[in-house]
Amino acid sequence: MNAPFPSPDQNSTKPPLQLLIAAPRGFCAGVDRAIEIVERAIEKYGAPVYVRHEIVHNKYVVDSLKAKGAVFVEELDEVPDGVPVVFSAHGVPKSVPAEAQKRELLYVDATCPLVSKVHRQAERQIEKGRHIIFVGHADHPEVIGTMGQVEPGQMTLVETVEDVAALEFGPEEQLAYLTQTTLSVDDTADIIAALEQRFPEVRGPKAEDICYATSNRQAAVKQIAPSADLVLVIGAPNSSNSLRLVEVAERLGTNARLIQRASEIEAEWLEGVGTLGLTAGASAPEKLVREVVERLGEWRTVEETTIAAAEENMVFKLPRQLLD
Ligand code: SF4
């Protein structure tokens, strides 16, 4: 639909905008838990509490926790002696808690239990004498953390079907694969199919490693994108699951944009847009979704519809050390 495009002050002539809001969207159970861990650690131990890496990939969340007394650093050697430190939801290589113990630092591990599950799977495969092919994105903290669960040379990273074609394992090699939790469901299925074709004996995890939150958010975008002229995804440029949501929409032929805050939306983006899809990555709070709806309302008469692809009621327990 080619709507005329009024300035924000022409309220009386605002043309309609159909807004399809994806559900589920936004915070997952692992992000909720990680944020609560930092908040409870500040309450229990007092500020400052150091956090190794952004607790979750969202600037709004990180800034809110900074205001409460969290200090974000990239490496443990930036944490002063005697100060508590929290490890982020993405997980850490084994060397990190080992170093914290050596320095007698009080640490709280906010690794998402679904990432920890992949860590345990990696250990089990190595115990069984298998080499692990890990499907993930190089340099993502979750990948660094998972690869750091095993010794160097015990795990090989593949990012694409082409990487699988280039693998040079002989028929005698015992192989297993695992995946990052926040990948594209469709791309990963292709990569696993390529692995199984090249190495028919390769062992995979019993249940999917891509987490429920990633799969559900992608499924919801698949439902809204075909009816939308544009999809907005609220998330950070370093948030893997948010980037995948943009890709899912684009593969369905719908323009999609990643935004961190409503203020980034430009009026021109809405030209010719009659139906807009909206979702948020697993580390983006609902407050940012409402902020976007309000901004859209400055230009258009917004008619919201929620399109639900799944229901979520997952809750993860907090570490015991924060419960007493
Ligand atoms: Fe855990 Fe999935 Fe959320 Fe990552 S996106 S924190 S793996 S639930």
Side-chain angles (χ1 to χ4, degrees), residues 28-31 89 112 114-115 181-182 211-214 241 282 316:
C28 59
V31 164
C112 175
L114 299 182
V115 175
T181 58
T182 51
C211 78
Y212 78 97
T214 298
N241 80 86
F316 296 134

Side-chain angles (χ1 to χ4, degrees), residues 1-227:
M1 165 185 167
N2 283 310
F5 205 75
S7 63
D9 57 347
Q10 289 174 287
N11 288 344
S12 56
T13 58
K14 287 191 289 187
L17 179 71
Q18 297 295 329
L19 182 63
L20 306 180
I21 306 190
R25 62 180 175 275
F27 277 5
C28 59
V31 164
D32 264 334
R33 174 179 181 269
I35 294 168
E36 194 173 350
I37 285 174
V38 177
E39 289 173 342
R40 287 202 180 213
I42 293 169
E43 267 170 38
K44 179 164 179 173
Y45 306 118
V49 164
Y50 275 62
V51 182
R52 185 188 176 279
H53 194 68
E54 288 184 332
I55 185 74
V56 299
H57 286 154
N58 185 275
K59 186 175 179 322
Y60 177 87
V61 171
V62 166
D63 287 346
S64 311
L65 292 172
K66 273 185 192 165
K68 292 178 181 171
V71 176
F72 290 86
V73 294
E74 279 309 307
E75 294 301 337
L76 218 48
D77 57 18
E78 298 167 67
V79 179
D81 287 336
V83 178
V85 58
V86 176
F87 303 149
S88 82
H90 313 94
V92 290
K94 275 190 171 165
S95 57
V96 172
E99 189 193 331
Q101 276 166 19
K102 204 161 119 197
R103 286 183 53 196
E104 297 182 352
L105 288 175
L106 194 163
Y107 67 86
V108 188
D109 189 353
T111 302
C112 175
L114 299 182
V115 175
S116 300
K117 184 189 81 175
V118 180
H119 291 180
R120 301 292 78 77
Q121 288 169 341
E123 284 175 338
R124 278 199 296 276
Q125 295 297 358
I126 295 300
E127 279 162 19
K128 288 179 179 158
R130 298 182 184 129
H131 183 92
I132 298 170
I133 299 167
F134 188 58
V135 185
H137 294 292
D139 301 330
H140 189 278
E142 182 187 329
V143 173
I144 294 168
T146 301
M147 295 194 76
Q149 301 305 306
V150 302
E151 297 298 324
Q154 291 181 325
M155 196 183 278
T156 302
L157 181 69
V158 294
E159 298 187 76
T160 61
V161 168
E162 291 72 35
D163 289 347
V164 173
L167 290 172
E168 289 180 348
F169 296 110
E172 72 296 341
E173 190 94 44
Q174 304 270 304
L175 296 172
Y177 72 80
L178 299 171
T179 84
Q180 191 178 335
T181 58
T182 51
L183 298 179
S184 150
V185 171
D186 297 335
D187 286 352
T188 308
D190 291 346
I191 295 171
I192 291 171
L195 273 172
E196 288 174 339
Q197 197 183 12
R198 272 212 68 197
F199 308 106
E201 303 298 320
V202 69
R203 301 298 181 93
K206 281 202 190 89
E208 186 73 78
D209 280 339
I210 296 178
C211 78
Y212 78 97
T214 298
S215 314
N216 288 346
R217 279 152 192 69
Q218 289 177 22
V221 168
K222 283 182 183 171
Q223 289 202 4
I224 60 169
S227 316

Side-chain angles (χ1 to χ4, degrees), residues 274-295:
T275 303
L276 183 91
L278 178 61
T279 188
S283 39
E286 184 63 15
K287 185 179 188 310
L288 303 188
V289 175
R290 298 321 306 172
E291 195 184 84
V292 166
V293 177
E294 269 172 41
R295 181 150 171 91

Side-chain angles (χ1 to χ4, degrees), residues 236-313:
N238 57 346
S239 160
S240 173
N241 80 86
S242 304
L243 293 169
R244 304 293 82 79
L245 296 177
V246 172
E247 286 171 7
V248 167
E250 286 175 341
R251 281 186 193 170
L252 290 166
T254 307
N255 284 336
R257 287 180 182 269
L258 184 72
I259 54 168
Q260 301 209 62
R261 295 297 292 261
S263 55
E264 293 169 27
I265 302 172
E266 291 175 22
E268 294 71 37
W269 296 0
L270 300 186
E271 280 173 21
V273 172
T275 303
L276 183 91
L278 178 61
T279 188
S283 39
E286 184 63 15
K287 185 179 188 310
L288 303 188
V289 175
R290 298 321 306 172
E291 195 184 84
V292 166
V293 177
E294 269 172 41
R295 181 150 171 91
L296 294 170
E298 291 174 9
W299 295 300
R300 299 288 195 86
T301 303
V302 176
E303 291 168 32
E304 280 182 52
T305 310
T306 298
I307 307 287
E311 265 191 46
E312 288 182 353
N313 45 26

